[in-house]
Amino acid sequence: MTGETLQIGLAGLGTVGTGVYETLCRNHDLLEARTQIPFAVKRVAVRSLARKRDVEIDPALLTDNWQELVDDPEIDIIIELIGGTEEAYRLVKAALLAHKPVVTGNKALLAEFGSELFQLSAETTTPLYFEASCGGGIPIIQSLQNSLVCNYVRRITGIINGTSNYILSSMERKGMTYEDALAAAQRKGYAEADPTLDVNGWDAAHKALILAMLAYGTPVSTENISVYGIDRITATDFRFAKELGYNIKLLVVIRHHADKDALELRVQPSFVSRKHLLSSVYGVFNAIAVHGDIVGETIFYGRGAGKNPTASAVIGDVMLAMRECRHPENHSGFHPYTKRLKVLPQEETVTPYYVRFLVQDRPGVIAVIAAELAKYDIGISGTMSSPRKGGDGGEGTCDLVFLLHACPWGKLCEALRALHVHESINPHPAVFRIETLNEEA
């Protein structure tokens, strides 16, 4: 081994922080042998010194002031795992200004402040590493930065929230209601007591913004992305999806429209053909499909969350940071490299659709809906129906499904608003995009 021992400062000793510290200690000799660089954890910043820990750690290493990590001239690399955004932003900014490379797994931080922090990283020539911020143990960040570097990325489509995927998997495979599936996820520790960010789509959206910034070298913000969650999905929609040859997944869709030089950014439950690999991703697993102009479609699959997969990604970045501390002229932290791309308004995004209406089972209803859709130039590729037998919706009602040809989202919304006036049609249809993932981007 060569050189002096590199000193690491760790901020945060929660679930992931504990996993990182334990792994750095347990596999210390292995990591030094593989990197040929001696290292040590010098300081660990925590919120409370009095709190009981789930890991054995020398109390002398602990501090309740993360500024000590930044100010200590002997600390070479800082790992930020404190969570949240405001305080984490102050820590990462201070570390970059102090020319200390930063490793973070904080997706919310990068979604909100990523553009500024990446720019600061470039200006200070101090790398910011963030593999663990997206996809847990899946090496998607390094793959986009290195393995796929020669590709223009045409499309990224993925399942990148393990909690929502577990819930949808339980609904599809076990016939559970959304409420029961969520409760099961919480019992198993896959969902937090407050699962809002997972089920409303925003956890996936934060990760999508990071992937978009990385793939296209352009700053984007939370204002640029359309987000819908999974809390309104029912067993009825899973039944129809199965009959039609689809599964329902919470998808991230990032697409570059070269003709408009614009990005399409959205997160929503979607119908995915059972012929595509993404439809077979179950439980807490994640999968990300990247379509490049040279490589074609490549799919990355693995555990998307949890202490150990996330710790693995963090430590991978730490080892990379250690190597690049020895050779700073070659650092591979993210560099913004292009002008700001415009974001395609959601009204202009185009896909086929599944629309399910709850209607009064009487003659002429299909004709009314078809005529209204025709006014907005929306074509119909198929219909299905199923009468309801009491309960929700009542006797004399049925579920009426329309499969629609590709059309702009804005046109569909106008047509659905026009149908609100019809007494025989429930004004709140279930609407899902149908993603044509096997087609070229």
Side-chain angles (χ1 to χ4, degrees):
M1 289 187 220
T2 60
E4 298 179 356
T5 299
L6 284 175
Q7 302 291 340
I8 295 170
L10 170 61
L13 203 59
T15 300
V16 176
T18 297
V20 168
Y21 182 78
E22 288 176 336
T23 305
L24 287 174
C25 294
R26 182 174 63 246
N27 293 351
H28 182 271
D29 293 345
L30 173 67
L31 293 169
E32 283 196 339
R34 286 181 171 173
T35 61
Q36 289 295 292
I37 301 172
F39 73 93
V41 178
K42 185 182 182 188
R43 205 78 167 138
V44 179
V46 296
R47 284 195 170 89
S48 171
L49 296 174
R51 179 181 172 184
K52 187 177 179 180
R53 306 287 164 192
D54 294 329
V55 60
E56 291 187 13
I57 186 169
D58 184 352
L61 290 179
L62 300 177
T63 176
D64 58 2
N65 180 10
W66 57 257
Q67 189 67 45
E68 293 183 18
L69 277 59
V70 176
D71 294 339
D72 188 337
E74 294 185 357
I75 289 181
D76 302 290
I77 299 166
I78 291 178
I79 306 171
E80 182 281 304
L81 296 172
I82 62 176
T85 55
E86 296 294 337
E87 187 175 6
Y89 164 75
R90 292 193 293 272
L91 165 56
V92 174
K93 182 177 180 179
L96 293 176
L97 289 172
H99 297 280
K100 294 179 186 286
V102 177
V103 175
T104 182
N106 193 330
K107 54 189 171 290
L109 167 71
L110 296 179
E112 186 170 347
F113 297 106
S115 296
E116 177 184 345
L117 292 175
F118 291 141
Q119 188 63 44
L120 180 60
S121 170
E123 291 172 357
T124 60
T125 63
T126 305
L128 173 60
Y129 305 93
F130 50 99
E131 183 69 67
S133 66
C134 186
I138 301 173
I140 184 63
I141 304 299
Q142 286 298 325
S143 296
L144 285 171
Q145 287 186 295
N146 298 308
S147 301
L148 302 177
V149 69
C150 72
N151 287 262
Y152 281 106
V153 177
R154 293 175 171 172
R155 180 181 67 217
I156 298 174
T157 312
I159 298 165
I160 53 179
N161 180 269
T163 299
S164 62
N165 199 50
Y166 178 87
I167 292 170
L168 295 178
S169 297
S170 298
M171 294 177 69
E172 190 262 335
R173 300 181 107 178
K174 300 179 181 179
M176 299 174 73
T177 65
Y178 166 79
E179 292 77 13
D180 288 343
L182 172 57
Q186 290 172 320
R187 286 194 301 271
K188 290 180 176 291
Y190 297 147
E192 301 289 343
D194 180 3
T196 303
L197 284 177
D198 291 314
V199 300
N200 70 6
W202 273 103
D203 174 83
H206 288 153
K207 298 170 186 175
L209 291 171
I210 294 168
L211 291 176
M213 283 188 280
L214 184 63
Y216 300 102
T218 184
V220 288
S221 71
T222 54
E223 299 173 356
N224 299 134
I225 189 165
S226 172
V227 183
Y228 292 90
I230 65 171
D231 55 336
R232 295 184 62 187
I233 301 175
T234 68
T236 301
D237 295 309
F238 271 106
R239 178 168 55 82
F240 277 114
K242 184 176 182 179
E243 291 180 23
L244 293 165
Y246 295 95
N247 203 345
I248 301 175
K249 296 294 183 181
L250 181 69
L251 285 190
V252 160
V253 176
I254 307 165
R255 187 191 300 264
H256 182 235
H257 293 263
D259 57 333
K260 301 177 181 178
D261 199 22
L263 289 181
E264 179 177 350
L265 299 173
R266 49 188 172 85
V267 175
Q268 75 288 305
S270 302
F271 273 37
V272 180
S273 171
R274 290 184 179 272
K275 296 179 181 180
H276 195 276
L277 285 174
L278 287 181
S279 73
S280 301
V281 177
Y282 288 106
V284 295
F285 282 84
N286 285 191
I288 304 168
V290 180
H291 196 291
D293 67 327
I294 306 299
V295 73
E297 186 173 69
T298 302
I299 297 182
F300 300 82
Y301 172 84
R303 290 189 177 273
K307 179 173 75 171
N308 292 328
T310 306
S312 175
V314 169
I315 293 171
D317 272 349
V318 172
M319 298 301 106
L320 181 60
M322 286 168 50
R323 291 189 178 102
E324 293 177 356
C325 277
R326 291 284 187 254
H327 305 283
E329 69 277 7
N330 296 325
H331 89 70
S332 62
F334 174 66
H335 298 274
Y337 58 83
T338 191
K339 67 181 186 303
R340 183 185 293 271
L341 293 175
K342 70 177 182 179
V343 176
L344 193 68
Q346 291 305 311
E347 293 76 12
E348 297 179 21
T349 59
V350 176
T351 61
Y353 301 91
Y354 159 102
V355 182
R356 177 177 57 82
F357 299 92
L358 177 61
V359 302
Q360 297 297 317
D361 193 2
R362 60 182 63 165
V365 175
I366 292 179
V368 167
I369 296 174
E372 202 65 61
L373 292 171
K375 291 179 183 178
Y376 294 88
D377 296 321
I378 300 173
I380 300 169
S381 61
T383 62
M384 297 179 67
S385 65
S386 177
R388 292 203 176 183
K389 300 176 182 178
D392 185 26
E395 294 285 353
T397 62
C398 73
D399 289 297
L400 184 58
V401 168
F402 283 77
L403 299 180
L404 305 180
H405 290 299
C407 69
W409 173 251
K411 285 288 187 184
L412 177 59
C413 290
E414 290 178 24
L416 295 179
R417 282 194 294 268
L419 286 166
H420 282 187
V421 300
H422 295 276
E423 295 181 357
S424 58
I425 302 170
N426 186 293
H428 303 291
V431 181
F432 293 84
R433 291 179 184 263
I434 300 174
E435 299 297 341
T436 51
L437 300 177
N438 287 320
E439 296 179 6
E440 288 294 311

